[in-house]
């Protein structure tokens, strides 16, 4: 593993890479719309996608950071709509060894999807049950999952402490996040429009999980 | 789960969502630089990130599709730099129930990283060993992993059949992909610049794994 003549010149120290990345983001991104606490969430979302411009699409309620942090510190679970989001959560940052749950591949999910006439991503939420109460929900893939979460809440179901609403794509993503944005009764953070995805959702969760940068 | 008065109006059929998404992408994205086969890779990358503009940052060698497809059909493994990439691979699309391997969380990786003076993401590649020969490598997170892969190859190590090079971010991402782009001897697909990530890398792999859209 010695450095041969063809070695490339690059930074090989993980901590140095993080520090330089975050310094670049703070130098280039317009974070003026955020409080110092909120800006840490925005910085990690930018870090996950490589675009400082995404800052202008990030919106969060004033109670998002406090409610999500309190829930995580109280040991509440993290409920994810996709395996990618679940596997993007950095376990070492979690304050209470919180459970990270994704029911998309549960064997009951396909049947449930047929029963309720919705996608598997949406049907998977019906398996969360009472775990939703006070939890942090992280949606980074499916607009149908975010829509269905709002439907479950509107039907009188359990209420999460905070919602990371970042489904991505061309059908329903923008609309589902607009629907969440209209809900001042639900602490949330979104990335408006088509942008989003599992990396951004996991990054937001990781930022909320620990104050360390 | 009946639709109450607060139900939202959205498409709940997974196949219809896919079809409309891909139709929107093909209507909006400039795919003129790609062959029909290559455009399927670009479409799935766009689908993963929600930005049709990313098409202009996607570049691939003329042998990428044929070499990656042949490797997967021959049962070669898929080697990933992150758990998120590995969990973004759609198993049902794989032609030979291919192994999907990520060694980042192998217990030997932290020590190895200290030994070689590089990140854990880079050190994890040293555990791939001979599995690299003829494999499809998918890098969606760490520039250091892509740099280190090129170093291993330059040192006379085994050669992958194809490389999906899509590390993301602000330190080394653009440079590592430029280094790969300069290698006409290695079949590859990249997303130039800071953009990239596990979702795009997994999407490229999923597109290469099956001709079905």
């Amino acid at each position: 593993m010695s450095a041969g003549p063809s070695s490339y010149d690059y930074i090989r120290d993980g901590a140095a890479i993080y520090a330089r990345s975050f310094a670049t983001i703070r130098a280039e991104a317009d974070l003026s719309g955020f409080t110092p606490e909120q800006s840490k969430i925005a910085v990690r979302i930018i870090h996950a996608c490589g675009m400082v411009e995404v800052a202008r699409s990030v919106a969060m309620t004033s109670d998002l950071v406090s409610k999500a942090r309190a829930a995580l510190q109280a040991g509440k679970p993290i409920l994810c709509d996709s395996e990618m989001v679940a596997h993007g959560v950095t376990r070492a940052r979690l304050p209470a060894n919180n459970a990270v749950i994704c029911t998309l591949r549960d064997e009951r999910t396909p049947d449930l999807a047929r029963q309720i006439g919705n996608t598997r991503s949406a049907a998977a939420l019906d398996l969360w049950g009472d775990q939703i109460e006070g939890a942090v929900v992280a949606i980074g893939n499916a607009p149908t999952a975010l829509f269905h979460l709002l439907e479950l809440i509107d039907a009188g179901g359990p209420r999460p402490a905070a919602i990371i609403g970042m489904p991505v794509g061309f059908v329903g993503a923008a609309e589902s996040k607009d629907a969440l944005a209209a809900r001042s009764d639900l602490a949330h953070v979104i990335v408006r429009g088509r942008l989003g995805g599992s990396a951004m959702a996991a990054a937001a969760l990781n930022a909320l999980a620990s104050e360390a940068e």
Side-chain angles (χ1 to χ4, degrees), chain A:
Chain A
M1 296 307 134
S2 67
S6 68
S7 270
Y8 297 93
D9 181 23
Y10 61 97
I11 307 180
R12 295 155 200 251
D13 177 66
I17 293 168
Y18 261 96
R20 186 178 290 201
S21 295
F22 286 9
T24 301
I25 293 167
R26 289 188 177 277
E28 292 187 20
D30 178 4
L31 302 170
S32 58
F34 301 110
T35 67
E37 279 300 287
Q38 290 178 327
S39 74
K40 290 186 180 179
I41 320 300
V43 164
R44 276 203 173 246
I45 292 170
I46 293 167
H47 181 250
C49 68
M51 295 182 292
V52 295
E53 305 77 17
V54 83
R56 77 171 75 101
S57 303
V58 174
M60 62 190 98
T61 55
S62 58
D63 59 352
L64 180 268
V65 176
S66 61
K67 293 220 169 152
R69 289 226 161 115
L72 293 172
Q73 282 161 8
K76 293 291 182 179
I78 298 156
L79 305 175
C80 308
D81 74 325
S82 78
E83 292 286 342
M84 287 188 82
V85 174
H87 284 86
V89 175
T90 304
R91 300 304 193 277
R93 294 180 66 86
L94 300 180
N97 195 24
N98 308 65
V100 181
I101 295 166
C102 175
T103 50
L104 183 60
R105 293 186 186 168
D106 188 288
E107 59 183 15
R108 295 167 290 177
T109 299
D111 276 347
L112 212 43
R114 279 185 285 271
Q115 278 172 38
I116 70 171
N118 209 322
T119 64
R120 284 184 297 138
S121 292
L125 274 63
D126 290 345
L127 297 172
W128 292 353
D130 288 343
Q131 294 177 111
I132 292 178
E133 185 69 38
V136 177
V137 173
I139 294 177
N141 184 41
T144 53
L146 181 50
F147 273 128
H148 193 53
L149 176 66
L150 296 176
E151 289 170 346
L152 292 173
I153 293 169
D154 288 346
R159 297 172 67 88
I163 302 170
I164 297 169
M166 302 188 187
V168 61
F170 298 87
V171 176
E175 295 82 354
S176 67
K177 291 177 285 190
D178 286 347
L180 178 58
R183 298 291 296 258
S184 59
D185 62 315
L186 295 168
H188 64 262
V189 54
I190 62 169
V191 176
R192 288 185 189 278
R194 292 172 169 180
L195 296 178
S198 49
M200 291 192 207
L205 188 286
N206 289 333
L208 290 164
S210 169
E211 297 189 45
E213 279 222 316

